[in-house]
Amino acid sequence: MTDTTQTHSTPPGDPDESFEAYRPRSPEFRAAMDALRGLRRDLFDDAFAYRPLPRKEEAGRLARNWKGRKREYAAWSRHTVVAAAGALSALIAFTDSGGGLLGLLTGLLVLAPALMTLVRPVGAFWLSMASTSAVAVFGTTYGNWPWLPGSYVTHLVVLTVVAIRTRPRTAAWMWLLTAVYGFVAETVFGWSHKVTNTASMLVFSAILLLAVTVWHIQRQARQEVTAQQTVTAHERSRRTLLEERTTIARELHDVVAHHMSVVAIQAEAAPYRVENPPPELEKAFATIRENAVAALTELRRVLGVVRAEDYDVPDAPQPTLAELDALITNVRETGLDVEKGVTGAVRELPQGVELSAYRIVQEALSNTLRHAPGASARVEVGYVLGGLGLRIVNGPPPHPALIKPSPGAGHGITGMRERVTMLNGEMTAEATREGGYEVTVFLPVPPSTERSCAAPSPGEGGA
């Protein structure tokens, strides 16, 4: 067993002060300090902050069927109740003081804290404590110490309204300070009074504050239940939407896959049904079959994953810009005159950027074939600092009158924009002055994700 000796440096200054500062605190001491900090935050920090009581946004049960002015007045019902309670306490104080100027003064003193709860709730508690002392000094009743009848009612109203407008912890602090005030007033100044009412004040106020606390708990529970129900309903609708999309995707996969398979089989068998077919016809049917098989593979890769959880996804890699030449060659075989130009230093980009760029060029050329048959097109790829630029432009169709309306739903441009938005890029798609169409895209690439490619820049020219 090894003994380890540790040397602790003594902080500069007085040794006794250093010892007190570095002495560990007990859990009880920390709990007491936390309680005092809570008292300061609840009843001292910004005690007189302006917090007006808002109007009721929803009508209560009695006012639901009211219309016009009555419904507008119902929105101020809480203010009316508080003002009526303050007026009642003021009337009690006026009567208890025997009327006259003294009764008017005590009435105003007990009315002010009740009305102040509507605009400065915490400050109203302190004003009620001060008003209680003032009324006790000016009052004429020798019993009911330290709360005279008007102050008694006002203080209960203030405690209840402030507890409703704040939170249970603040109500607990107010009740505790009320108890301290009552005991001090009875002990120091209550010797000449016959009846004291601190005990009844504490009992009645505790009952009221307990009821308000239960109301707070129920209200919070209802809010949590409502929030949970909202989240559950949102998740349920989202799950329903995903299930509907999955069903549509499965149906789309089954229908399109079947027809593409039929096209591929018929294209493969068509040359054998004609004696001595010309080479151009055989090549055309071979191209049709290759495109059908490629489309079927892409369809299975994209939509086949929703067939089942254990679906075996094909391992074929996603297309990149390296396969752009093959795409353009395939399009040229359909009769579209396409040129390609590359500027900048060719380098390997993130997979998502490469795939999105390939799909955008593919969709733009498909739109040219569909909407401008016989027109020429040009694909420009620019490797610039901080991203990748694309420009696909086609000329006007040579015979516009022979173009048939496209049966598509116009989702091509939308799909391009979705891909560009997903990568935080920019895109413009608009008609040119010559009657063609131009698609310009910039896909940003953070420098940290760029990986340089050793391939030399081919420069600008046809592919």
PDB file of all heavy atoms in Angstrom, residues 156-187:
ATOM      1  N   LEU A 156     -56.529  39.120   1.313  1.00  0.00           N
ATOM      2  CA  LEU A 156     -56.927  37.839   0.733  1.00  0.00           C
ATOM      3  C   LEU A 156     -57.110  37.954  -0.780  1.00  0.00           C
ATOM      4  O   LEU A 156     -56.718  37.056  -1.547  1.00  0.00           O
ATOM      5  CB  LEU A 156     -58.217  37.350   1.393  1.00  0.00           C
ATOM      6  CG  LEU A 156     -58.114  36.873   2.851  1.00  0.00           C
ATOM      7  CD1 LEU A 156     -59.487  36.481   3.372  1.00  0.00           C
ATOM      8  CD2 LEU A 156     -57.149  35.697   2.953  1.00  0.00           C
ATOM      9  N   VAL A 157     -57.710  39.036  -1.226  1.00  0.00           N
ATOM     10  CA  VAL A 157     -57.887  39.255  -2.669  1.00  0.00           C
ATOM     11  C   VAL A 157     -56.533  39.373  -3.364  1.00  0.00           C
ATOM     12  O   VAL A 157     -56.292  38.773  -4.417  1.00  0.00           O
ATOM     13  CB  VAL A 157     -58.741  40.513  -2.917  1.00  0.00           C
ATOM     14  CG1 VAL A 157     -58.758  40.868  -4.401  1.00  0.00           C
ATOM     15  CG2 VAL A 157     -60.158  40.285  -2.422  1.00  0.00           C
ATOM     16  N   VAL A 158     -55.616  40.140  -2.761  1.00  0.00           N
ATOM     17  CA  VAL A 158     -54.304  40.319  -3.372  1.00  0.00           C
ATOM     18  C   VAL A 158     -53.556  38.996  -3.450  1.00  0.00           C
ATOM     19  O   VAL A 158     -52.971  38.651  -4.478  1.00  0.00           O
ATOM     20  CB  VAL A 158     -53.494  41.373  -2.589  1.00  0.00           C
ATOM     21  CG1 VAL A 158     -52.039  41.380  -3.047  1.00  0.00           C
ATOM     22  CG2 VAL A 158     -54.099  42.753  -2.778  1.00  0.00           C
ATOM     23  N   LEU A 159     -53.546  38.237  -2.354  1.00  0.00           N
ATOM     24  CA  LEU A 159     -52.853  36.945  -2.370  1.00  0.00           C
ATOM     25  C   LEU A 159     -53.421  36.030  -3.452  1.00  0.00           C
ATOM     26  O   LEU A 159     -52.676  35.361  -4.166  1.00  0.00           O
ATOM     27  CB  LEU A 159     -52.967  36.279  -0.999  1.00  0.00           C
ATOM     28  CG  LEU A 159     -52.179  36.915   0.156  1.00  0.00           C
ATOM     29  CD1 LEU A 159     -52.443  36.161   1.449  1.00  0.00           C
ATOM     30  CD2 LEU A 159     -50.695  36.923  -0.150  1.00  0.00           C
ATOM     31  N   THR A 160     -54.740  35.997  -3.568  1.00  0.00           N
ATOM     32  CA  THR A 160     -55.365  35.103  -4.553  1.00  0.00           C
ATOM     33  C   THR A 160     -55.051  35.533  -5.983  1.00  0.00           C
ATOM     34  O   THR A 160     -54.649  34.713  -6.813  1.00  0.00           O
ATOM     35  CB  THR A 160     -56.883  35.073  -4.333  1.00  0.00           C
ATOM     36  OG1 THR A 160     -57.166  34.698  -2.982  1.00  0.00           O
ATOM     37  CG2 THR A 160     -57.532  34.085  -5.280  1.00  0.00           C
ATOM     38  N   VAL A 161     -55.219  36.825  -6.279  1.00  0.00           N
ATOM     39  CA  VAL A 161     -54.998  37.293  -7.648  1.00  0.00           C
ATOM     40  C   VAL A 161     -53.533  37.162  -8.044  1.00  0.00           C
ATOM     41  O   VAL A 161     -53.204  36.720  -9.154  1.00  0.00           O
ATOM     42  CB  VAL A 161     -55.471  38.752  -7.788  1.00  0.00           C
ATOM     43  CG1 VAL A 161     -55.146  39.294  -9.179  1.00  0.00           C
ATOM     44  CG2 VAL A 161     -56.966  38.847  -7.530  1.00  0.00           C
ATOM     45  N   VAL A 162     -52.618  37.531  -7.132  1.00  0.00           N
ATOM     46  CA  VAL A 162     -51.193  37.423  -7.454  1.00  0.00           C
ATOM     47  C   VAL A 162     -50.791  35.970  -7.647  1.00  0.00           C
ATOM     48  O   VAL A 162     -49.994  35.638  -8.522  1.00  0.00           O
ATOM     49  CB  VAL A 162     -50.349  38.099  -6.358  1.00  0.00           C
ATOM     50  CG1 VAL A 162     -48.865  37.913  -6.635  1.00  0.00           C
ATOM     51  CG2 VAL A 162     -50.675  39.579  -6.275  1.00  0.00           C
ATOM     52  N   ALA A 163     -51.325  35.070  -6.819  1.00  0.00           N
ATOM     53  CA  ALA A 163     -51.024  33.648  -6.985  1.00  0.00           C
ATOM     54  C   ALA A 163     -51.519  33.132  -8.331  1.00  0.00           C
ATOM     55  O   ALA A 163     -50.848  32.319  -8.985  1.00  0.00           O
ATOM     56  CB  ALA A 163     -51.649  32.846  -5.849  1.00  0.00           C
ATOM     57  N   ILE A 164     -52.675  33.591  -8.775  1.00  0.00           N
ATOM     58  CA  ILE A 164     -53.198  33.167 -10.080  1.00  0.00           C
ATOM     59  C   ILE A 164     -52.321  33.703 -11.205  1.00  0.00           C
ATOM     60  O   ILE A 164     -52.045  33.000 -12.183  1.00  0.00           O
ATOM     61  CB  ILE A 164     -54.656  33.647 -10.245  1.00  0.00           C
ATOM     62  CG1 ILE A 164     -55.572  32.902  -9.269  1.00  0.00           C
ATOM     63  CG2 ILE A 164     -55.132  33.447 -11.685  1.00  0.00           C
ATOM     64  CD1 ILE A 164     -56.998  33.402  -9.277  1.00  0.00           C
ATOM     65  N   ARG A 165     -51.837  34.931 -11.062  1.00  0.00           N
ATOM     66  CA  ARG A 165     -51.086  35.557 -12.138  1.00  0.00           C
ATOM     67  C   ARG A 165     -49.613  35.168 -12.153  1.00  0.00           C
ATOM     68  O   ARG A 165     -48.932  35.442 -13.149  1.00  0.00           O
ATOM     69  CB  ARG A 165     -51.205  37.081 -12.032  1.00  0.00           C
ATOM     70  CG  ARG A 165     -52.621  37.614 -12.193  1.00  0.00           C
ATOM     71  CD  ARG A 165     -52.580  39.073 -12.578  1.00  0.00           C
ATOM     72  NE  ARG A 165     -51.810  39.266 -13.786  1.00  0.00           N
ATOM     73  CZ  ARG A 165     -51.356  40.445 -14.209  1.00  0.00           C
ATOM     74  NH1 ARG A 165     -51.606  41.523 -13.488  1.00  0.00           N
ATOM     75  NH2 ARG A 165     -50.660  40.554 -15.312  1.00  0.00           N
ATOM     76  N   THR A 166     -49.088  34.593 -11.083  1.00  0.00           N
ATOM     77  CA  THR A 166     -47.671  34.222 -11.045  1.00  0.00           C
ATOM     78  C   THR A 166     -47.547  32.704 -11.058  1.00  0.00           C
ATOM     79  O   THR A 166     -47.907  32.058 -12.024  1.00  0.00           O
ATOM     80  CB  THR A 166     -46.987  34.846  -9.822  1.00  0.00           C
ATOM     81  OG1 THR A 166     -47.688  34.478  -8.623  1.00  0.00           O
ATOM     82  CG2 THR A 166     -46.964  36.359  -9.926  1.00  0.00           C
ATOM     83  N   ARG A 167     -47.040  32.131  -9.974  1.00  0.00           N
ATOM     84  CA  ARG A 167     -46.870  30.684  -9.903  1.00  0.00           C
ATOM     85  C   ARG A 167     -46.931  30.251  -8.446  1.00  0.00           C
ATOM     86  O   ARG A 167     -46.824  31.079  -7.528  1.00  0.00           O
ATOM     87  CB  ARG A 167     -45.556  30.254 -10.533  1.00  0.00           C
ATOM     88  CG  ARG A 167     -44.328  30.975 -10.005  1.00  0.00           C
ATOM     89  CD  ARG A 167     -43.092  30.509 -10.723  1.00  0.00           C
ATOM     90  NE  ARG A 167     -41.895  31.248 -10.319  1.00  0.00           N
ATOM     91  CZ  ARG A 167     -40.671  30.952 -10.755  1.00  0.00           C
ATOM     92  NH1 ARG A 167     -40.506  29.958 -11.610  1.00  0.00           N
ATOM     93  NH2 ARG A 167     -39.642  31.661 -10.352  1.00  0.00           N
ATOM     94  N   PRO A 168     -47.080  28.952  -8.178  1.00  0.00           N
ATOM     95  CA  PRO A 168     -47.237  28.490  -6.793  1.00  0.00           C
ATOM     96  C   PRO A 168     -46.075  28.866  -5.877  1.00  0.00           C
ATOM     97  O   PRO A 168     -46.292  29.131  -4.685  1.00  0.00           O
ATOM     98  CB  PRO A 168     -47.358  26.969  -6.957  1.00  0.00           C
ATOM     99  CG  PRO A 168     -47.914  26.767  -8.327  1.00  0.00           C
ATOM    100  CD  PRO A 168     -47.321  27.875  -9.144  1.00  0.00           C
ATOM    101  N   ARG A 169     -44.845  28.883  -6.378  1.00  0.00           N
ATOM    102  CA  ARG A 169     -43.720  29.217  -5.504  1.00  0.00           C
ATOM    103  C   ARG A 169     -43.824  30.651  -4.989  1.00  0.00           C
ATOM    104  O   ARG A 169     -43.541  30.932  -3.821  1.00  0.00           O
ATOM    105  CB  ARG A 169     -42.405  29.022  -6.247  1.00  0.00           C
ATOM    106  CG  ARG A 169     -41.190  29.073  -5.348  1.00  0.00           C
ATOM    107  CD  ARG A 169     -39.918  28.842  -6.114  1.00  0.00           C
ATOM    108  NE  ARG A 169     -39.559  29.991  -6.944  1.00  0.00           N
ATOM    109  CZ  ARG A 169     -38.445  30.056  -7.674  1.00  0.00           C
ATOM    110  NH1 ARG A 169     -37.613  29.029  -7.685  1.00  0.00           N
ATOM    111  NH2 ARG A 169     -38.185  31.133  -8.388  1.00  0.00           N
ATOM    112  N   THR A 170     -44.244  31.560  -5.840  1.00  0.00           N
ATOM    113  CA  THR A 170     -44.444  32.937  -5.402  1.00  0.00           C
ATOM    114  C   THR A 170     -45.544  33.024  -4.355  1.00  0.00           C
ATOM    115  O   THR A 170     -45.435  33.780  -3.378  1.00  0.00           O
ATOM    116  CB  THR A 170     -44.785  33.824  -6.610  1.00  0.00           C
ATOM    117  OG1 THR A 170     -43.769  33.686  -7.607  1.00  0.00           O
ATOM    118  CG2 THR A 170     -44.891  35.278  -6.202  1.00  0.00           C
ATOM    119  N   ALA A 171     -46.607  32.250  -4.534  1.00  0.00           N
ATOM    120  CA  ALA A 171     -47.681  32.228  -3.543  1.00  0.00           C
ATOM    121  C   ALA A 171     -47.175  31.723  -2.195  1.00  0.00           C
ATOM    122  O   ALA A 171     -47.572  32.230  -1.129  1.00  0.00           O
ATOM    123  CB  ALA A 171     -48.828  31.356  -4.045  1.00  0.00           C
ATOM    124  N   ALA A 172     -46.294  30.715  -2.221  1.00  0.00           N
ATOM    125  CA  ALA A 172     -45.740  30.198  -0.963  1.00  0.00           C
ATOM    126  C   ALA A 172     -44.910  31.258  -0.249  1.00  0.00           C
ATOM    127  O   ALA A 172     -44.993  31.406   0.986  1.00  0.00           O
ATOM    128  CB  ALA A 172     -44.890  28.957  -1.250  1.00  0.00           C
ATOM    129  N   TRP A 173     -44.109  32.009  -1.001  1.00  0.00           N
ATOM    130  CA  TRP A 173     -43.315  33.071  -0.384  1.00  0.00           C
ATOM    131  C   TRP A 173     -44.219  34.155   0.208  1.00  0.00           C
ATOM    132  O   TRP A 173     -43.952  34.671   1.309  1.00  0.00           O
ATOM    133  CB  TRP A 173     -42.359  33.687  -1.402  1.00  0.00           C
ATOM    134  CG  TRP A 173     -41.172  32.844  -1.735  1.00  0.00           C
ATOM    135  CD1 TRP A 173     -40.781  32.396  -2.953  1.00  0.00           C
ATOM    136  CD2 TRP A 173     -40.180  32.370  -0.810  1.00  0.00           C
ATOM    137  NE1 TRP A 173     -39.622  31.663  -2.866  1.00  0.00           N
ATOM    138  CE2 TRP A 173     -39.227  31.638  -1.558  1.00  0.00           C
ATOM    139  CE3 TRP A 173     -40.005  32.486   0.564  1.00  0.00           C
ATOM    140  CZ2 TRP A 173     -38.129  31.019  -0.972  1.00  0.00           C
ATOM    141  CZ3 TRP A 173     -38.909  31.873   1.157  1.00  0.00           C
ATOM    142  CH2 TRP A 173     -37.993  31.157   0.396  1.00  0.00           C
ATOM    143  N   MET A 174     -45.272  34.531  -0.491  1.00  0.00           N
ATOM    144  CA  MET A 174     -46.173  35.556   0.029  1.00  0.00           C
ATOM    145  C   MET A 174     -46.855  35.084   1.305  1.00  0.00           C
ATOM    146  O   MET A 174     -47.017  35.850   2.259  1.00  0.00           O
ATOM    147  CB  MET A 174     -47.218  35.912  -1.044  1.00  0.00           C
ATOM    148  CG  MET A 174     -46.656  36.645  -2.245  1.00  0.00           C
ATOM    149  SD  MET A 174     -47.943  37.274  -3.342  1.00  0.00           S
ATOM    150  CE  MET A 174     -48.834  35.770  -3.746  1.00  0.00           C
ATOM    151  N   TRP A 175     -47.276  33.815   1.324  1.00  0.00           N
ATOM    152  CA  TRP A 175     -47.910  33.291   2.535  1.00  0.00           C
ATOM    153  C   TRP A 175     -46.925  33.297   3.698  1.00  0.00           C
ATOM    154  O   TRP A 175     -47.286  33.634   4.838  1.00  0.00           O
ATOM    155  CB  TRP A 175     -48.417  31.879   2.256  1.00  0.00           C
ATOM    156  CG  TRP A 175     -49.209  31.304   3.405  1.00  0.00           C
ATOM    157  CD1 TRP A 175     -50.548  31.419   3.626  1.00  0.00           C
ATOM    158  CD2 TRP A 175     -48.690  30.514   4.496  1.00  0.00           C
ATOM    159  NE1 TRP A 175     -50.917  30.773   4.772  1.00  0.00           N
ATOM    160  CE2 TRP A 175     -49.780  30.193   5.335  1.00  0.00           C
ATOM    161  CE3 TRP A 175     -47.431  30.056   4.839  1.00  0.00           C
ATOM    162  CZ2 TRP A 175     -49.639  29.434   6.486  1.00  0.00           C
ATOM    163  CZ3 TRP A 175     -47.281  29.294   5.989  1.00  0.00           C
ATOM    164  CH2 TRP A 175     -48.373  28.987   6.801  1.00  0.00           C
ATOM    165  N   LEU A 176     -45.666  32.918   3.440  1.00  0.00           N
ATOM    166  CA  LEU A 176     -44.660  32.890   4.501  1.00  0.00           C
ATOM    167  C   LEU A 176     -44.380  34.297   5.038  1.00  0.00           C
ATOM    168  O   LEU A 176     -44.304  34.512   6.258  1.00  0.00           O
ATOM    169  CB  LEU A 176     -43.371  32.264   3.970  1.00  0.00           C
ATOM    170  CG  LEU A 176     -42.228  32.108   4.984  1.00  0.00           C
ATOM    171  CD1 LEU A 176     -42.665  31.228   6.141  1.00  0.00           C
ATOM    172  CD2 LEU A 176     -40.988  31.539   4.311  1.00  0.00           C
ATOM    173  N   LEU A 177     -44.256  35.288   4.161  1.00  0.00           N
ATOM    174  CA  LEU A 177     -44.030  36.660   4.609  1.00  0.00           C
ATOM    175  C   LEU A 177     -45.248  37.209   5.354  1.00  0.00           C
ATOM    176  O   LEU A 177     -45.110  38.003   6.307  1.00  0.00           O
ATOM    177  CB  LEU A 177     -43.689  37.552   3.419  1.00  0.00           C
ATOM    178  CG  LEU A 177     -42.328  37.284   2.755  1.00  0.00           C
ATOM    179  CD1 LEU A 177     -42.130  38.218   1.577  1.00  0.00           C
ATOM    180  CD2 LEU A 177     -41.195  37.456   3.762  1.00  0.00           C
ATOM    181  N   THR A 178     -46.442  36.783   4.925  1.00  0.00           N
ATOM    182  CA  THR A 178     -47.650  37.189   5.653  1.00  0.00           C
ATOM    183  C   THR A 178     -47.629  36.642   7.071  1.00  0.00           C
ATOM    184  O   THR A 178     -47.998  37.334   8.044  1.00  0.00           O
ATOM    185  CB  THR A 178     -48.901  36.699   4.904  1.00  0.00           C
ATOM    186  OG1 THR A 178     -48.935  37.289   3.602  1.00  0.00           O
ATOM    187  CG2 THR A 178     -50.164  37.068   5.660  1.00  0.00           C
ATOM    188  N   ALA A 179     -47.198  35.386   7.232  1.00  0.00           N
ATOM    189  CA  ALA A 179     -47.103  34.788   8.565  1.00  0.00           C
ATOM    190  C   ALA A 179     -46.076  35.522   9.425  1.00  0.00           C
ATOM    191  O   ALA A 179     -46.320  35.799  10.614  1.00  0.00           O
ATOM    192  CB  ALA A 179     -46.743  33.307   8.441  1.00  0.00           C
ATOM    193  N   VAL A 180     -44.931  35.841   8.831  1.00  0.00           N
ATOM    194  CA  VAL A 180     -43.907  36.563   9.585  1.00  0.00           C
ATOM    195  C   VAL A 180     -44.427  37.921  10.029  1.00  0.00           C
ATOM    196  O   VAL A 180     -44.243  38.346  11.195  1.00  0.00           O
ATOM    197  CB  VAL A 180     -42.624  36.703   8.732  1.00  0.00           C
ATOM    198  CG1 VAL A 180     -41.622  37.634   9.421  1.00  0.00           C
ATOM    199  CG2 VAL A 180     -42.007  35.347   8.482  1.00  0.00           C
ATOM    200  N   TYR A 181     -45.098  38.620   9.115  1.00  0.00           N
ATOM    201  CA  TYR A 181     -45.654  39.939   9.463  1.00  0.00           C
ATOM    202  C   TYR A 181     -46.682  39.817  10.589  1.00  0.00           C
ATOM    203  O   TYR A 181     -46.698  40.621  11.530  1.00  0.00           O
ATOM    204  CB  TYR A 181     -46.291  40.567   8.230  1.00  0.00           C
ATOM    205  CG  TYR A 181     -47.046  41.848   8.512  1.00  0.00           C
ATOM    206  CD1 TYR A 181     -46.382  43.060   8.620  1.00  0.00           C
ATOM    207  CD2 TYR A 181     -48.430  41.831   8.694  1.00  0.00           C
ATOM    208  CE1 TYR A 181     -47.074  44.225   8.892  1.00  0.00           C
ATOM    209  CE2 TYR A 181     -49.125  42.988   8.961  1.00  0.00           C
ATOM    210  CZ  TYR A 181     -48.449  44.187   9.060  1.00  0.00           C
ATOM    211  OH  TYR A 181     -49.133  45.338   9.343  1.00  0.00           O
ATOM    212  N   GLY A 182     -47.552  38.810  10.504  1.00  0.00           N
ATOM    213  CA  GLY A 182     -48.581  38.650  11.531  1.00  0.00           C
ATOM    214  C   GLY A 182     -48.004  38.346  12.900  1.00  0.00           C
ATOM    215  O   GLY A 182     -48.427  38.934  13.912  1.00  0.00           O
ATOM    216  N   PHE A 183     -47.016  37.447  12.946  1.00  0.00           N
ATOM    217  CA  PHE A 183     -46.418  37.097  14.233  1.00  0.00           C
ATOM    218  C   PHE A 183     -45.660  38.273  14.836  1.00  0.00           C
ATOM    219  O   PHE A 183     -45.716  38.516  16.065  1.00  0.00           O
ATOM    220  CB  PHE A 183     -45.496  35.890  14.075  1.00  0.00           C
ATOM    221  CG  PHE A 183     -46.231  34.613  13.824  1.00  0.00           C
ATOM    222  CD1 PHE A 183     -45.794  33.721  12.856  1.00  0.00           C
ATOM    223  CD2 PHE A 183     -47.369  34.290  14.548  1.00  0.00           C
ATOM    224  CE1 PHE A 183     -46.469  32.554  12.607  1.00  0.00           C
ATOM    225  CE2 PHE A 183     -48.057  33.104  14.315  1.00  0.00           C
ATOM    226  CZ  PHE A 183     -47.613  32.240  13.339  1.00  0.00           C
ATOM    227  N   VAL A 184     -44.950  39.019  14.007  1.00  0.00           N
ATOM    228  CA  VAL A 184     -44.224  40.188  14.520  1.00  0.00           C
ATOM    229  C   VAL A 184     -45.208  41.238  15.023  1.00  0.00           C
ATOM    230  O   VAL A 184     -45.021  41.837  16.104  1.00  0.00           O
ATOM    231  CB  VAL A 184     -43.300  40.766  13.435  1.00  0.00           C
ATOM    232  CG1 VAL A 184     -42.719  42.105  13.878  1.00  0.00           C
ATOM    233  CG2 VAL A 184     -42.190  39.788  13.111  1.00  0.00           C
ATOM    234  N   ALA A 185     -46.289  41.480  14.241  1.00  0.00           N
ATOM    235  CA  ALA A 185     -47.274  42.492  14.652  1.00  0.00           C
ATOM    236  C   ALA A 185     -47.961  42.090  15.950  1.00  0.00           C
ATOM    237  O   ALA A 185     -48.221  42.943  16.830  1.00  0.00           O
ATOM    238  CB  ALA A 185     -48.304  42.697  13.543  1.00  0.00           C
ATOM    239  N   GLU A 186     -48.285  40.812  16.132  1.00  0.00           N
ATOM    240  CA  GLU A 186     -48.931  40.367  17.371  1.00  0.00           C
ATOM    241  C   GLU A 186     -47.973  40.425  18.555  1.00  0.00           C
ATOM    242  O   GLU A 186     -48.352  40.801  19.668  1.00  0.00           O
ATOM    243  CB  GLU A 186     -49.458  38.944  17.205  1.00  0.00           C
ATOM    244  CG  GLU A 186     -50.699  38.832  16.366  1.00  0.00           C
ATOM    245  CD  GLU A 186     -51.269  37.425  16.386  1.00  0.00           C
ATOM    246  OE1 GLU A 186     -50.715  36.592  17.131  1.00  0.00           O
ATOM    247  OE2 GLU A 186     -52.265  37.183  15.690  1.00  0.00           O
ATOM    248  N   THR A 187     -46.732  40.062  18.326  1.00  0.00           N
ATOM    249  CA  THR A 187     -45.776  40.001  19.430  1.00  0.00           C
ATOM    250  C   THR A 187     -45.350  41.382  19.894  1.00  0.00           C
ATOM    251  O   THR A 187     -45.266  41.650  21.106  1.00  0.00           O
ATOM    252  CB  THR A 187     -44.537  39.188  19.000  1.00  0.00           C
ATOM    253  OG1 THR A 187     -44.947  37.900  18.568  1.00  0.00           O
ATOM    254  CG2 THR A 187     -43.554  39.048  20.142  1.00  0.00           C
TER     255      THR A 187
END
